[in-house]
Amino acid sequence: MKHVVFHKPRLLVDILQGLFRHNIKQFLNYETNKVFVSKGKFDEVTFTKHKDMMIRYGQVSRPMLQCLWFFLHLGYNEFHTMAQLMPKLDVLYTIPQPDIPEKRTEFGPFVTIPTYNLDNNPIELEQYWPERTPLTHKEIKIEYTFPITFPEGMFERLQVRIQDFVDERLDWRDTTYCVCNENQMVLHRALDVTSYDAVLSCTIRGQEVNEMMKVLHKVHAIFASLASLSPGLIWYVNKTFSNCGKKTVMQMPIFNI
C-alpha cells in the first residue's frame, strides 16, 4: 500500500465503516432495514441465508456487500474497484466468480471477511487432512511461539494474504486448510495449555520437498511482513520434518529469521 495514494481518504474510511459497523446486529434486521428489499432485492428467506453466511462464516455475497455499501452510491466500476482494493488493506479476500451470472437467490460468497468467521468446529478437515501423514507424503511444519503477546488480527491478515497463491481453501476461525498446486497446507492458531503461549503453525504436506519449501517461503515472507508491523514483538521458531511417518527436528536453516 506504500505505493498507493488516496485522493479521497474520507471515502476509504466510509467503506471500512460499511464493513465493520458497531451496530451490525441492528443493521442486519430485515424488518426494520428496508435496504435489503430495495437494494439487495432479498426476500426474507434468501436474506436469512445470506445473513447467516456473513455472521457465521464471514462470507459476504455480492448483493449483501452492495447493501453494506448502499450509502456510498457506488457505480458498477467503483463497486468492483473498491472490492479489489480491500484485500490490500488485509480486511478481506475476494473469491473467484463463475463466468455465467448466478440467480440472485443463488448468489454464493463474493468476498470473505475473516474477522466475522465464528466457525471453530473444523469437522470437515479430517476428510482432507488425516491425523497421520500418509506414507506417500512428506510433511514440513513450522511453529511460531509468542511467549508474551500475539498481535491482534495477525492470523486474519495472514488468511487474507495467502489468497494470492492458493488454489482451494476452507476457513474456520482458527484454522485454514488449502491446496497450493500439488501441496496441502494447514494454518492453525492455538493457545498452549501448559505455558499459555500463543502458537501459530504452518504445516505443509506433499511429495516434492522443493515445491513444499516454495510454499513455506511464501508463508514465512507474509509472516515476517506482518510481524514487522509490531515493533518489539518476541517469538521463537520450531521446525520439524516428517518423511514416511518418521519425524525429526529440522536443523538446517530454511530461511533467514
Side-chain angles (χ1 to χ4, degrees), residues 3-213:
H3 300 300
V4 178
V5 176
F6 293 100
H7 295 286
K8 296 180 180 180
R10 179 62 194 178
L11 175 60
L12 179 64
V13 173
D14 289 340
I15 287 172
L16 292 173
Q17 286 180 336
L19 296 176
F20 303 101
R21 297 172 177 272
H22 71 282
N23 61 340
I24 189 66
K25 290 184 178 180
Q26 291 82 359
F27 181 83
L28 295 173
N29 187 312
Y30 185 78
E31 293 184 359
T32 60
N33 194 343
K34 302 307 179 184
V35 70
F36 299 113
V37 176
S38 60
K39 184 72 173 178
K41 308 300 182 185
F42 289 117
D43 58 40
E44 191 166 3
V45 174
T46 306
F47 169 76
T48 301
K49 173 186 174 182
H50 286 239
K51 174 184 175 181
D52 188 63
M53 282 170 48
M54 176 177 172
I55 62 176
R56 289 187 60 191
Y57 307 109
Q59 299 173 348
V60 185
S61 63
R62 187 195 309 267
M64 180 62 82
L65 186 59
Q66 290 172 329
C67 291
L68 293 174
W69 284 343
F70 80 96
F71 62 97
L72 298 172
H73 306 291
L74 299 175
Y76 179 87
N77 291 332
E78 292 174 316
F79 173 83
H80 284 273
T81 298
M82 291 301 102
Q84 294 299 322
L85 173 65
M86 290 298 100
K88 298 181 182 297
L89 300 177
D90 296 338
V91 296
L92 57 78
Y93 64 84
T94 57
I95 299 173
Q97 299 297 294
D99 296 331
I100 301 176
E102 300 173 297
K103 295 179 181 178
R104 187 168 290 272
T105 55
E106 299 174 356
F107 268 116
F110 179 60
V111 301
T112 295
I113 305 175
T115 306
Y116 282 131
N117 194 341
L118 301 179
D119 184 13
N120 201 27
N121 187 25
I123 55 176
E124 300 174 26
L125 185 58
E126 259 185 57
Q127 302 175 30
Y128 309 97
W129 189 270
E131 184 176 350
R132 292 182 177 275
T133 307
L135 295 178
T136 56
H137 284 63
K138 303 174 179 65
E139 178 180 288
I140 296 175
K141 182 176 184 178
I142 182 169
E143 290 183 330
Y144 304 94
T145 301
F146 302 82
I148 298 178
T149 184
F150 183 72
E152 184 176 358
M154 173 183 275
F155 185 73
E156 290 77 11
R157 300 178 81 173
L158 179 60
Q159 287 179 307
V160 170
R161 293 197 188 186
I162 64 171
Q163 180 68 2
D164 290 339
F165 59 86
V166 302
D167 302 317
E168 303 173 26
R169 65 186 294 166
L170 292 171
D171 289 301
W172 295 271
R173 188 180 70 187
D174 296 317
T175 306
T176 290
Y177 165 82
C178 50
V179 176
C180 313
N181 294 324
E182 300 298 321
N183 304 297
Q184 296 173 296
M185 178 174 71
V186 167
L187 300 176
H188 185 60
R189 170 177 56 185
L191 183 68
D192 190 306
V193 295
T194 56
S195 64
Y196 294 101
D197 293 341
V199 180
L200 172 62
S201 63
C202 172
T203 309
I204 300 171
R205 290 177 180 175
Q207 296 180 322
E208 297 293 334
V209 173
N210 289 338
E211 295 301 314
M212 295 162 64
M213 292 302 299

